[in-house]
Amino acid sequence: MAKKEKSFEESLLRLKEISEKLEGSEVGLDDSIKLYEEGVKLAKECYTTLSEAELKIKELKSELEIDSD
Amino acid sequence: MDLFTQEENILSVSEITNSVKRVLEKSFKGIKIVGEISNFKAHFSGHWYFTLKDANAQISCTMWKGNNTRVRFTPEDGMKIIVSGNISVYPPRGSYQIDVRAMKAAGVGELQAAFERLKQSLSDEGLFDVKNKKAITRLPKKIGIVTAIDSAAFRDMVSVAERRFPLVELIVASSRVQGDGAAENISRNIKLLDKLGNIDTIIVGRGGGSLEDLWAFNEEIVARTIYDAKTPIVSGVGHEIDFTIADFAADLRAPTPTASMELATPNQEDILNYITDFFSNSSTNVNSIITNFKDEIFGITNSYGFKSHDFIINNNMQTLDNYLFRIENGVNQKFLKSKNELSVLSNSIESYNIEKILERGFALVEQNCKKITRAKDFDSSKKTKIKFYDNEIEIE
C-alpha cells in the first residue's frame, strides 16, 4: 500500500472497515492486534483533525470572470 | 361657407401626424396602465407585441427586447398586468401604442398563476424528475454558497457549519437575491461554482420574504441552471411553507437556509461518537478474539490425545507453557499500551466536552479540588473555585 496521507473521509472509511473485520471471526490473532493498533492510530488522528478544525470561508469574486456567456 | 378659403392652413398627412405624435408623446410620458393581455406574440427578434384591454377599450403595446428580458414571468393571454411606459405614435401606420418599459403582475394571484404554469411546463419537460437527482456528499470538503453574503441567512449557514462540521470549507459567491437581475446573478454564480469542479455541494438560498421577494427563485433561468449543474445542489429558500421552482429543480430541498446547511453537512458529534464507539467495541472484539484463541489452545493441551502421550513426561509441556506465556505477555503489553492511549484520549474527549459546555455559559464549581455537582455537597464555609469558559475565580 502506498504510504500517502489519508484524507479524513478515507480514514473514517478505513476505520469502518477495521471495525467490521474485528467484529467478524475470520481475522487471526496477529492481524487483529495489527488492525487494532492501526485503528487506534486512525481514530486518534480523525478525532484530533475534527476537534481542531476551524471553519474556512472564502468569497468567490465573480466580477473577475463574468461576461463569459 | 367655404372651408377651404384659408389655403395656408392646409397640412400634409405627415405634418398632422407629426403634430399628433408630438402632442401625444409629450402628454403621456411615464404612464401606468392596468389591463388584460390579449394577442400576445413574442417575435423571433425578441420583441413582444400584444394588446392590453379591459371591457370597453383596447390599446396596442410593444415591448422591446432590451426591456422584456427584465420581466420576471412569461406573459400569457388573459393575464392581468400593470405596464409602465410612454405613448408612441407610429407615423407610417398612423397608429399609436404603448412603448412598454416595465411590466408586472397585477396581483399575487397572477404571480401564483405564472408560478403554476412554469412549474407545470418544466415538470412536463422532466426538470424535476427524481431519477435525475444527484446524491448529496456525506463528508464534503468544500461547500459552495449562493446567497447574499451580508444576509442573516448566510450567517445562519456559517454558524451551522461551524457547529456541525468545521472541517468543511465554504466558498461563497455573493448574489443579489431579489429585485432586478437577481435571477441572472444567482444563475451566473451557480455556474461559476459549478465550473470550479471541486465543490462537493452547492447551497442556493435566501431568508424569508413575500412571494415577490422570493421571485428570483421562481424564474426559469435559475431552474435550468440548477438542473444543468454537475454539482449536487441543495436549495433553502424562505420558510418551511415556501416552495419555489428552484426547490423542485434542486437535488434536495431544505425548508430553510439553516436546514440547507444541516442537510449538506454531517454532525461532528456523530463522527466523534463513532470514533469513541470504535475504541470500546474494538477493544471488546480484540479481547474476545484473544480469549477464543486461549480457549482453543487450552482445549488442545487438555485433550486426551495430548495428555496420554509422553508429552507430559518430556518437559514439552513446559516448553509449550513458555510459548503460551510469551504470546500472552506480548499481546497483553500491546493491549495495555493501546488501553493507555485510549484513556488519555477519553480524558481529552471529556475535557473537550466540558469546554464546550462552559462555552455555552455554564460554570463549574469546585471545593477541595472536587467538582460540586449537587447543592447538598456544597459547603458555604469552604473556599470555592468557579471555572468559567474564559477564566476561573476563587471565593472565600
Side-chain angles (χ1 to χ4, degrees), chain B residues 25 39 76 90 101 106 142 156 175 192 202 206 212 217 229-230 238 250 252 269 300 315 339-340 347 363 367 375 390:
Chain B
E25 291 185 357
N39 284 322
E76 274 204 355
Y90 183 54
R101 294 303 168 99
K142 291 185 182 199
D156 288 348
S175 294
L192 275 178
I202 297 175
R206 59 151 287 150
E212 284 92 339
F217 295 87
K230 296 188 176 56
L252 184 63
E269 301 288 326
I300 293 167
N315 273 353
K339 262 195 173 159
N340 282 340
N347 284 340
Q367 284 185 327
D390 54 345

Side-chain angles (χ1 to χ4, degrees), chain B residues 183-203:
Chain B
E184 287 78 8
N185 199 234
I186 291 164
S187 159
R188 197 183 62 211
N189 282 326
I190 294 173
K191 283 183 192 159
L192 275 178
L193 286 168
D194 189 42
K195 236 190 274 174
L196 290 180
N198 61 353
I199 305 277
D200 296 295
T201 309
I202 297 175
I203 294 178

Side-chain angles (χ1 to χ4, degrees), chain B residues 140-243:
Chain B
K141 291 188 191 73
K142 291 185 182 199
I143 294 180
I145 299 180
V146 177
T147 195
I149 200 165
D150 55 358
S151 64
F154 178 68
R155 284 191 296 278
D156 288 348
M157 290 182 200
V158 168
S159 70
V160 170
E162 230 152 29
R163 170 169 57 80
R164 284 178 66 91
F165 197 56
L167 212 54
V168 78
E169 184 176 351
L170 304 181
I171 316 284
V172 197
S174 190
S175 294
R176 236 170 302 147
V177 290
Q178 69 186 78
D180 262 3
E184 287 78 8
N185 199 234
I186 291 164
S187 159
R188 197 183 62 211
N189 282 326
I190 294 173
K191 283 183 192 159
L192 275 178
L193 286 168
D194 189 42
K195 236 190 274 174
L196 290 180
N198 61 353
I199 305 277
D200 296 295
T201 309
I202 297 175
I203 294 178
V204 181
R206 59 151 287 150
S210 67
L211 184 59
E212 284 92 339
D213 289 344
L214 305 183
W215 197 254
F217 295 87
N218 286 328
E219 290 188 42
E220 193 170 340
I221 178 174
V222 172
R224 291 199 183 277
T225 305
I226 290 177
Y227 177 77
D228 290 338
K230 296 188 176 56
T231 317
I233 295 187
V234 179
S235 69
V237 182
H239 300 297
E240 264 134 88
I241 47 158
D242 300 319
F243 276 86

Side-chain angles (χ1 to χ4, degrees), chain B residues 86-159:
Chain B
N86 311 314
I87 291 267
S88 79
V89 173
Y90 183 54
R93 288 218 188 138
S95 65
Y96 70 97
Q97 63 206 3
I98 314 277
D99 173 13
V100 179
R101 294 303 168 99
M103 172 190 293
K104 66 171 194 167
V108 170
E110 296 294 335
L111 272 185
Q112 200 62 52
F115 172 87
E116 293 301 339
R117 274 199 305 275
L118 180 61
K119 186 179 146 194
Q120 190 58 52
S121 82
L122 294 181
S123 169
D124 291 345
E125 217 185 294
L127 258 75
F128 307 153
D129 283 2
V130 177
K131 68 172 165 56
N132 296 329
K133 304 269 183 215
K134 294 177 275 295
I136 307 300
T137 317
R138 257 173 5 110
L139 287 171
K141 291 188 191 73
K142 291 185 182 199
I143 294 180
I145 299 180
V146 177
T147 195
I149 200 165
D150 55 358
S151 64
F154 178 68
R155 284 191 296 278
D156 288 348
M157 290 182 200
V158 168
S159 70

